[in-house]
């Protein structure tokens, strides 16, 4: 069998370019002892992958040049050399950006396609969902009655943050997004109290209008002017959870930090970054609480689906541009 897989050829400077990558044909691998061969059905593309394309020291090793990249994937086991997983089972694993993957059974998580669509295990019931849950409830210490502002609110993580806050009793939920259509989605479908298009004017001014009583929790997916605006409206004892700063990922020069950090002294505010990998102990609690909301329709989700391994790179670039509504998924 021929296996098509995406390799990183050179480390991007600024925005990634197609010539930094190559779609390579190779022979499909054979599983060894304790391994399974998976035919991937859905692949995840996520903003954090941009950081792994750089050689800069980070919380995870960079992608290796000339080798296949990695990412979340869910697929069907076509051959098994491991106990507990059989051909025909479906598993979640971390060897995406390819059609076939050999996975150590201990790193494969069985999932049930009857309980939920397979793609949801990469999004609303997967890593992005847990990111939203852990970041809001643990890192930002959300409590009933808080006013919550979410940037990148129409994305996979942001849309879930706002809805979880609403379902758990937020006094007001505000979101920012990059189009009028997404703003409408946030208010009319996801139940945000207010939302604004950051392309339509000053983020600080639009946030002040949307949050006249200030912000208790800011969930940051964007950084830059959004972070500065949130600090400017932070209430006494406010908390900021930094999940991502997508506005800075392709900068070639260091971006200036917020000019108003001193306000954290006045408000006794707290700003804290987090990684979902530090919060997997919440996984069972997350599924137990969020799963019923998804099944009942109380928590809604969108997926932007791109078809074909040949379009995996374009789907990733689309995430950086903000083309997606909800989770960006590649269907094979």
């Amino acid at each position: 069998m021929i296996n098509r897989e995406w390799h990183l050829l050179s480390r991007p400077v600024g925005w990634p370019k197609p010539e930094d990558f190559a779609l390579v044909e190779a022979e499909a691998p054979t599983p060894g002892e304790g391994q399974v061969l998976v035919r991937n059905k859905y692949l995840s593309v996520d903003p954090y992958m941009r950081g792994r394309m750089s050689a800069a020291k980070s919380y995870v090793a960079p992608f290796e040049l000339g080798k296949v990249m990695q990412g979340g994937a869910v697929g069907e086991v076509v051959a098994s050399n491991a106990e507990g997983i059989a051909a025909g089972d479906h598993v979640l694993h971390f060897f995406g950006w390819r059609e076939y993957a050999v996975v150590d059974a201990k790193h494969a998580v069985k999932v049930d396609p009857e309980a939920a669509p397979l793609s949801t295990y990469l999004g609303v019931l997967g890593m992005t969902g847990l990111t939203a849950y852990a970041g809001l409830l643990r890192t930002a210490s959300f409590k009933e009655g808080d006013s919550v502002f979410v940037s990148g609110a129409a994305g996979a993580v942001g849309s879930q943050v706002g809805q979880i806050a609403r379902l758990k009793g937020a006094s007001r939920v505000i979101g920012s997004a990059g189009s009028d259509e997404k703003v409408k989605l946030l208010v009319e479908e996801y139940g945000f109290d207010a939302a604004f298009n950051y392309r339509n004017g000053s983020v600080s001014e639009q946030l002040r209008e949307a949050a006249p009583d200030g912000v208790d929790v800011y969930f940051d997916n964007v950084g830059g002017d959004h972070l500065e605006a949130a600090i400017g409206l932070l209430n006494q004892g406010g908390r900021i959870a930094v999940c991502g700063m997508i506005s800075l990922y392709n900068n070639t020069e260091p971006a200036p930090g917020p000019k108003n950090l001193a306000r954290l002294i006045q408000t006794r505010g707290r700003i804290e970054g987090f990684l979902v990998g530090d919060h997997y102990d919440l996984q069972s609690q997350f599924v137990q609480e969020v799963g019923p909301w998804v099944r009942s329709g109380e928590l809604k989700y969108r997926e932007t689906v791109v078809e074909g391994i040949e379009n995996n790179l374009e789907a990733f670039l689309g995430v950086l541009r903000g083309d997606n509504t909800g989770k960006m998924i590649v269907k094979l």
Side-chain angles (χ1 to χ4, degrees), residues 5 138 149 193 286:
E5 54 188 39
R138 179 175 279 174
F149 171 44
D193 296 287
F286 158 69

mmCIF file of all heavy atoms in Angstrom, residues 5 138 149 193 286:
data_model
loop_
_atom_site.group_PDB
_atom_site.id
_atom_site.type_symbol
_atom_site.label_atom_id
_atom_site.label_comp_id
_atom_site.label_asym_id
_atom_site.label_seq_id
_atom_site.Cartn_x
_atom_site.Cartn_y
_atom_site.Cartn_z
ATOM 1 N N GLU A 5 2.142 11.174 2.875
ATOM 2 C CA GLU A 5 2.425 11.847 4.142
ATOM 3 C C GLU A 5 3.106 13.185 3.885
ATOM 4 O O GLU A 5 3.836 13.345 2.907
ATOM 5 C CB GLU A 5 3.301 10.958 5.034
ATOM 6 C CG GLU A 5 4.576 10.474 4.365
ATOM 7 C CD GLU A 5 5.342 9.439 5.172
ATOM 8 O OE1 GLU A 5 4.694 8.564 5.795
ATOM 9 O OE2 GLU A 5 6.585 9.508 5.184
ATOM 10 N N ARG A 138 -10.266 25.669 35.508
ATOM 11 C CA ARG A 138 -9.135 25.508 36.419
ATOM 12 C C ARG A 138 -8.181 26.701 36.350
ATOM 13 O O ARG A 138 -7.918 27.351 37.362
ATOM 14 C CB ARG A 138 -8.378 24.211 36.117
ATOM 15 C CG ARG A 138 -7.170 24.005 37.012
ATOM 16 C CD ARG A 138 -6.514 22.651 36.771
ATOM 17 N NE ARG A 138 -7.212 21.578 37.462
ATOM 18 C CZ ARG A 138 -6.919 20.281 37.323
ATOM 19 N NH1 ARG A 138 -5.949 19.906 36.498
ATOM 20 N NH2 ARG A 138 -7.569 19.356 38.007
ATOM 21 N N PHE A 149 -14.887 37.207 28.773
ATOM 22 C CA PHE A 149 -14.552 37.641 27.423
ATOM 23 C C PHE A 149 -13.649 36.590 26.789
ATOM 24 O O PHE A 149 -12.675 36.146 27.391
ATOM 25 C CB PHE A 149 -13.843 39.001 27.464
ATOM 26 C CG PHE A 149 -13.251 39.442 26.145
ATOM 27 C CD1 PHE A 149 -13.947 39.316 24.949
ATOM 28 C CD2 PHE A 149 -11.971 40.006 26.104
ATOM 29 C CE1 PHE A 149 -13.395 39.723 23.737
ATOM 30 C CE2 PHE A 149 -11.416 40.425 24.900
ATOM 31 C CZ PHE A 149 -12.127 40.275 23.723
ATOM 32 N N ASP A 193 -23.807 36.754 24.931
ATOM 33 C CA ASP A 193 -24.608 37.957 25.180
ATOM 34 C C ASP A 193 -24.234 39.089 24.240
ATOM 35 O O ASP A 193 -25.083 39.928 23.904
ATOM 36 C CB ASP A 193 -24.429 38.407 26.640
ATOM 37 C CG ASP A 193 -24.951 37.374 27.617
ATOM 38 O OD1 ASP A 193 -26.181 37.233 27.723
ATOM 39 O OD2 ASP A 193 -24.129 36.690 28.250
ATOM 40 N N PHE A 286 -14.465 15.959 32.398
ATOM 41 C CA PHE A 286 -14.847 16.720 31.215
ATOM 42 C C PHE A 286 -15.862 15.958 30.373
ATOM 43 O O PHE A 286 -16.925 16.486 30.004
ATOM 44 C CB PHE A 286 -13.590 17.029 30.394
ATOM 45 C CG PHE A 286 -13.821 17.328 28.948
ATOM 46 C CD1 PHE A 286 -14.461 18.499 28.558
ATOM 47 C CD2 PHE A 286 -13.393 16.442 27.974
ATOM 48 C CE1 PHE A 286 -14.672 18.767 27.214
ATOM 49 C CE2 PHE A 286 -13.594 16.710 26.631
ATOM 50 C CZ PHE A 286 -14.239 17.874 26.251
#
